[in-house]
Amino acid sequence: MEFIDNQTIVNHYDFAKLIDRLQAAFAESEIQVPMRHHHDFINPGHDDSTLLLMPAFEPGKETGVKMVTVFPDNGRYQLPSIQGLYLLFDGQKGYCKKVFDAKAITVFRTAATSAMASRLLSRDNSESLMMVGTGALSPMLIRAHATVRPIKQVYIWGRHASRAQAVKQSLADLKLEIQVVSSIEQGIALADIVSCATLSKTPLIKGEYLKPGQHIDMVGAYRPDMREADDNCLKRSVIFVDHYAGATKETGDIAIPLQKGIITRKDLKADLFELCRGQKSGRDNVAEITFFKSVGHALEDLVAAQLIDKLIEKKI
């Protein structure tokens, strides 16, 4: 059994290939995905923590399961908030082929999924990106979005300017104009695409900040008590989600407005399955504000692990 660490994944990932494979998988894949296990538990002296178990099966090919913990306070220990393992099994004989660093797989597939959604929802000529948040996902989200749109300018905001500068420095190899901004409102005013990846419990993206034609990519707020967008943001937007079952229950960005009657289930225009299959349309005009909420789906993890496996083995 081989362990694939973070650096090996970083050395082999390919956003263009994964984005295409994810879109094909959402459109036509036979991958079977049970509802994930989501267990919140008390962590004395810290914010509540979470254990996630996410299985997926592609009959006759591979089976995979991700086991991760989410400890929101890990920044105080210089540790990532998301840690865990991804196990990839042979689909016919059941043996474990490889064990991956789940954090790296999660970052890779989450960023690729956001970029895939942007390819379906943002304006083709989107050239500027606002990144809210400075965690491990932030530089990968910027790289992924720049894969599908002609991004030239990037604006970064974080609670700590030094971390925003670190994200900027990590992207030095890209031919982008990157600026750290002092406020979220300032960055949104300049951006065609706004991506937000935080663990905030209070809204950061406010509807009053938005302008016609923007695409809003909401990646954080993975628990029902977390929110990155306020009610006005949702009311001004056309709403899309990665999958209905998770989005309506697991994230406060959707669950709280539904409970308050700010939006209804009918206000969720489409999920990724419907978009990728062409069953529902994405952006209808250049003035719409499109809002995509990602909570994560085990299909994405399995597709990412399969791709990394093949890239390492040089089978593609």
Side-chain angles (χ1 to χ4, degrees):
M1 188 187 307
E2 184 179 359
F3 176 68
I4 309 301
D5 62 14
N6 175 77
Q7 192 57 51
T8 302
I9 294 172
V10 168
N11 291 342
H12 289 85
Y13 79 87
D14 185 318
F15 273 132
K17 284 186 171 65
L18 181 56
I19 291 165
D20 287 342
R21 286 178 178 238
L22 284 171
Q23 189 163 346
F26 275 104
E28 58 193 32
S29 175
E30 296 182 356
I31 295 175
Q32 300 170 13
V33 181
M35 192 66 180
R36 70 182 178 186
H37 295 255
H38 187 132
H39 304 284
D40 294 325
F41 56 90
I42 296 172
N43 187 8
H46 301 74
D47 282 347
D48 289 353
S49 300
T50 303
L51 172 67
L52 298 173
L53 304 174
M54 301 173 64
F57 314 90
E58 186 167 18
K61 295 185 179 179
E62 281 101 7
T63 292
V65 61
K66 184 167 75 174
M67 302 176 291
V68 297
T69 57
V70 186
F71 281 61
D73 288 342
N74 269 4
R76 69 172 75 169
Y77 307 115
Q78 289 75 53
L79 291 171
S81 58
I82 299 174
Q83 301 176 90
L85 299 171
Y86 191 86
L87 281 67
L88 184 66
F89 297 89
D90 180 87
Q92 294 184 330
K93 302 179 180 68
Y95 62 89
C96 188
K97 298 171 61 177
K98 286 185 173 67
V99 179
F100 297 84
D101 180 328
K103 173 180 169 288
I105 288 288
T106 301
V107 167
F108 179 37
R109 63 79 154 156
T110 302
T113 301
S114 281
M116 183 191 72
S118 178
R119 185 163 69 179
L120 296 168
L121 299 172
S122 66
R123 301 189 331 268
D124 292 347
N125 62 347
S126 297
E127 295 185 342
S128 53
L129 170 69
M130 168 62 170
M131 185 69 239
V132 179
T134 56
L137 258 173
S138 300
M140 297 298 274
L141 281 163
I142 294 168
R143 291 179 183 276
H145 279 290
T147 301
V148 299
R149 289 292 182 249
I151 301 297
K152 296 178 180 178
Q153 295 88 27
V154 175
Y155 307 97
I156 304 171
W157 178 89
R159 297 187 191 278
H160 304 282
S162 60
R163 295 181 184 175
Q165 287 289 348
V167 173
K168 175 181 176 178
Q169 292 169 8
S170 74
L171 300 167
D173 60 300
L174 299 182
K175 295 180 179 180
L176 300 172
E177 296 179 18
I178 304 176
Q179 177 182 344
V180 173
V181 294
S182 58
S183 73
I184 295 173
E185 184 176 4
Q186 176 192 0
I188 291 178
L190 299 168
D192 297 317
I193 298 171
V194 179
S195 186
C196 186
T198 74
L199 301 176
S200 181
K201 290 187 177 181
T202 56
L204 300 171
I205 311 301
K206 299 183 179 181
E208 66 192 74
Y209 300 162
L210 306 184
K211 60 183 183 180
Q214 287 181 318
H215 173 63
I216 314 302
D217 172 42
M218 306 300 291
V219 181
Y222 69 95
R223 288 191 338 211
D225 63 340
M226 293 178 172
R227 290 194 72 175
E228 294 182 307
D230 71 358
D231 293 340
N232 193 29
C233 184
L234 290 167
K235 288 192 289 185
R236 291 194 61 192
S237 303
V238 181
I239 305 168
F240 302 84
V241 298
D242 52 357
H243 63 115
Y244 293 120
T248 55
K249 294 179 180 179
E250 296 184 8
T251 171
D253 276 329
I254 301 296
I256 293 173
L258 282 173
Q259 292 164 6
K260 291 167 59 178
I262 302 299
I263 60 172
T264 69
R265 175 64 174 71
K266 291 182 180 179
D267 289 317
L268 307 184
K269 183 177 179 182
D271 69 4
L272 287 180
F273 292 96
E274 293 167 328
L275 285 173
C276 293
R277 292 168 182 166
Q279 295 169 333
K280 292 186 179 178
S281 64
R283 173 180 291 275
D284 288 332
N285 59 71
V286 295
E288 277 186 341
I289 298 172
T290 51
F291 179 104
F292 172 67
K293 181 61 195 181
S294 171
V295 293
H297 195 272
L299 176 150
E300 301 159 14
D301 296 297
L302 181 55
V303 173
Q306 290 173 324
L307 176 60
I308 290 292
D309 182 35
K310 289 180 173 61
L311 289 171
I312 291 172
E313 298 295 334
K314 298 182 179 180
K315 295 180 179 177
I316 57 174

